[in-house]
Amino acid sequence: MQLPAEAVAATVLIEVVRISALPGGRGVPYPGRVVAHWAGSEAADALTLIERLPGSEQHRCGFSPGWSIRAYEDSLDLALFEAAFCFRCHEVRMHGKAVPPVLATQFFDADTPPAQALLALFREAAP
């Protein structure tokens, strides 16, 4: 999976969100409860894991994401990007000031070890 490289390099904090609904509009954060904050090596390791997600074909489920991450730079002002993951249809939708349109929708193989490891990290964050 491809993340915006400059944003990844600038990320100092990741919020993990357990999504409760779809957002009310384009570019609006996914509603849900922030269940964890990852910083330092924990954030870097998570981003590396996400970048290692192998691509996949689109599956149909209607996009019902359960988890998202929000990446922040030093100012902790606006998120550089948010990525919402649907492990049923293997789709990731990203938005934010650092996300070019070509990266906004991607597909990953949710059955691979990197995807299962990411899902396990999410689940550990919100037992």
Side-chain angles (χ1 to χ4, degrees):
M1 185 178 146
Q2 197 172 2
L3 294 173
E6 288 181 17
V8 168
T11 298
V12 298
L13 178 77
I14 292 176
E15 284 183 332
V16 179
V17 178
R18 183 66 169 124
I19 297 173
S20 59
L22 291 177
R26 275 195 160 293
V28 176
Y30 283 81
R33 183 170 55 97
V34 175
V35 296
H37 290 96
W38 296 335
S41 63
E42 199 172 30
D45 291 349
L47 292 170
T48 298
L49 184 59
I50 291 167
E51 288 178 317
R52 289 187 180 148
L53 294 175
S56 177
E57 294 182 12
Q58 182 176 9
H59 293 74
R60 296 280 179 194
C61 88
F63 191 66
S64 181
W67 304 95
S68 78
I69 61 163
R70 296 181 190 139
Y72 293 90
E73 60 189 338
D74 283 337
S75 68
L76 302 177
D77 192 12
L78 294 173
L80 294 166
F81 67 91
E82 180 174 20
F85 297 83
C86 180
F87 284 83
R88 283 183 273 180
C89 67
H90 303 202
E91 185 173 344
V92 177
R93 292 186 186 172
M94 279 193 292
H95 66 267
K97 63 183 182 180
V99 180
V102 70
L103 299 183
T105 301
Q106 298 180 53
F107 300 93
F108 68 102
D109 188 339
D111 298 320
T112 62
Q116 290 300 302
L118 179 62
L119 183 57
L121 285 176
F122 289 153
R123 288 178 173 160
E124 286 173 20

